Amino acid sequence: MGYLKAVLILFCSLLNLGHGRSVPIDPYWPGDHDLARFDIHYETTPGLPEGLEWNLDVWAPTAPGSYPVMYYLSGDAMGIAGEAYEQVMRHIASYGYVVILPSKTTYLLTPEKKTPEFVKIMSWCEDNLEDFLYQNQLPTDVHLDYQTLIGGAHSAGAHTLVQYLKDNGCGRFQALALMSPVDGVDPFVDWYYNEWVITEGERLNFDIPTLHIAAGLDPAPGGPQHLGGACAPTNQSNDWFWNAFNENSVRWSLNATDFGHVGLCDKAAWEGNTVIGWCAYNHEATDEQFDAYRRFVAGQTVSFIKAVFEDDCRPFINEIEDTSRYIVNATMRRNQEPKTCPHPVCRWRPAIHV
Ligand SMILES: *[C@@H]1O[C@H](CO)[C@@H](O)[C@H](O)[C@H]1NC(C)=O
Ligand SMILES: *[C@@H]1O[C@H](CO)[C@@H](O)[C@H](O)[C@H]1NC(C)=O
Ligand SMILES: *[C@@H]1O[C@H](CO)[C@@H](O)[C@H](O)[C@H]1NC(C)=O
């Protein structure tokens, strides 16, 4: 079996060499990498080095290599545990990325107050995570490339991540993927807290290649019988971010019209869950359609990351821009000329308030 696999891999690499370029991928199905999965609980996991105060879900390729790192900030400003995003994160990592998803349920810290926490988490990871994973069976020839960071976020996780980029000179982030981003503290009590990363009429003080994916039902009322509020009200999400991005950010915005705010999470995580299951969702969609939506979100994210980092961006841009190839109903708009290749760089300048 091992021998057969080795022969097949050799055979495939020869084919690759023959082409002289990378073989096109089908981004809507998982990639070739076998993965190791780590579920680290800061209070209970044995042998953790000091200083970690958040849980970490980690998906890492197991073949020798150095892999770009994607930090993914989950919904509820990092309040939703990584298990809820299992399918999408696994799919992204299977294309050769390490995904790190920090989370903790804490309602005492608002999204902005979590930005310094995120700084501490990243610093803990750089100092400790590789060694800890090696002690827990990750092969020691797998390396986490912290020089190549991709930022990903869902819902109010985007508030924290965008705040980080705004306050920290971009850090080492070179690409940004935001799913149904939400500003403010939450859709229900903002009148009390009033904390925003975006100011109306002002552009953000950095430009970075960006993929934005909205869900069509983000602004629809949720809760029992749709009597509650929207999980992503129009005036604090999606276009609120899209319009604030710096004009120089090469960026795409997709709108998956048939799905709701937490449709990218595994169905088991939100079905019947009164907290995250509150959001409006498509009651008609079949399990296959929900599965297609998660594969769409993951597949578009992979195409976007590859468009940013691979030498030949064109096949990947094509996956983003050619809506006839989509596996769910969705619209697409962009800020730049068609087929513009993004560069892996974030340019930052001090914020100027008007
Ligand atoms: C996405 O599409 C839905 C349904 O057509 C619409 O209600 C919503 O406003 C759109 N969202 C964005 C950000 O354009
Ligand atoms: C968003 O709209 C709601 C309802 O109209 C309003 O109460 C709220 O103040 C608005 N928020 C912002 C930031 O404009
Ligand atoms: C797109 O929407 C149409 C109209 O609602 C529906 O008939 C069709 O099945 C949808 N396509 C996909 C791929 O879900």
Side-chain angles (χ1 to χ4, degrees), residues 1-305:
M1 187 62 200
Y3 171 73
L4 181 64
K5 200 170 170 192
V7 170
L8 279 175
I9 289 170
L10 182 62
F11 182 66
C12 296
S13 355
L14 287 176
L15 280 181
N16 253 334
L17 281 175
H19 275 279
R21 60 184 177 86
S22 55
V23 172
I25 56 166
D26 179 352
Y28 300 125
W29 293 104
D32 292 339
H33 282 273
D34 290 331
L35 299 177
R37 173 76 165 89
F38 304 91
D39 186 2
I40 301 169
H41 287 256
Y42 71 104
E43 287 168 319
T44 55
T45 300
L48 270 185
E50 296 271 295
L52 182 66
E53 287 167 11
W54 290 69
N55 301 325
L56 297 179
D57 285 274
V58 180
W59 294 259
T62 53
S66 178
Y67 300 97
V69 171
M70 175 185 226
Y71 282 103
Y72 196 86
L73 305 196
S74 62
D76 201 10
M78 308 159 79
I80 302 178
E83 287 88 350
Y85 298 85
E86 190 67 38
Q87 182 179 343
V88 169
M89 296 308 134
R90 175 170 284 278
H91 188 136
I92 294 169
S94 74
Y95 279 93
Y97 307 102
V98 173
V99 179
I100 303 174
L101 190 156
S103 71
K104 180 162 82 171
T105 313
T106 160
Y107 294 103
L108 296 175
L109 291 177
T110 55
E112 225 160 272
K113 304 235 167 43
K114 288 179 183 167
T115 303
E117 296 287 308
F118 180 46
V119 172
K120 281 192 250 167
I121 294 165
M122 289 196 289
S123 145
W124 185 92
C125 288
E126 286 177 38
D127 292 345
N128 302 292
L129 186 59
E130 260 191 6
D131 283 342
F132 180 78
L133 299 183
Y134 296 155
Q135 282 156 26
N136 288 275
Q137 314 302 321
L138 186 72
T140 53
D141 44 16
V142 172
H143 298 287
L144 281 59
D145 175 7
Y146 292 110
Q147 299 305 317
T148 309
L149 296 186
I150 300 148
H154 176 218
S155 192
H159 180 161
T160 303
L161 182 59
V162 170
Q163 189 79 49
Y164 170 84
L165 297 171
K166 190 174 162 178
D167 293 350
N168 292 275
C170 294
R172 287 196 295 278
F173 285 91
Q174 296 168 22
L176 183 62
L178 301 181
M179 291 82 170
S180 300
V182 175
D183 197 3
V185 174
D186 69 60
F188 308 111
V189 294
D190 269 323
W191 51 270
Y192 182 66
Y193 283 99
N194 203 24
E195 184 184 280
W196 301 85
V197 65
I198 287 165
T199 307
E200 188 150 26
E202 283 181 25
R203 299 273 183 173
L204 286 163
N205 59 324
F206 57 87
D207 56 89
I208 186 169
T210 303
L211 176 70
H212 163 234
I213 306 179
L217 301 176
D218 275 333
Q225 277 80 49
H226 304 288
L227 290 176
C231 285
T234 304
N235 63 0
Q236 67 188 84
S237 38
N238 292 316
D239 276 358
W240 176 252
F241 282 79
W242 176 255
N243 294 331
F245 275 115
N246 195 280
E247 281 153 286
N248 298 322
S249 292
V250 173
R251 64 192 200 271
W252 295 266
S253 175
L254 316 179
N255 185 350
T257 42
D258 293 344
F259 295 90
H261 190 60
V262 292
L264 79 167
C265 295
D266 290 8
K267 202 173 176 187
W270 56 264
E271 206 175 31
N273 179 321
T274 47
V275 181
I276 71 168
W278 174 276
C279 308
Y281 68 96
N282 182 342
H283 292 255
E284 318 282 283
T286 62
D287 284 348
E288 288 70 28
Q289 286 169 318
F290 280 115
D291 177 67
Y293 176 57
R294 291 189 294 270
R295 291 190 290 107
F296 177 76
V297 170
Q300 282 292 330
T301 305
V302 167
S303 297
F304 165 70
I305 296 170

Side-chain angles (χ1 to χ4, degrees), residues 19-25 97 302-320 339-344:
H19 275 279
R21 60 184 177 86
S22 55
V23 172
I25 56 166
Y97 307 102
V302 167
S303 297
F304 165 70
I305 296 170
K306 288 191 173 286
V308 175
F309 292 102
E310 301 276 316
D311 289 338
D312 182 6
C313 84
R314 285 166 303 172
F316 308 112
I317 299 276
N318 197 43
E319 295 291 349
I320 304 174
K339 302 192 198 302
T340 304
C341 284
H343 299 293

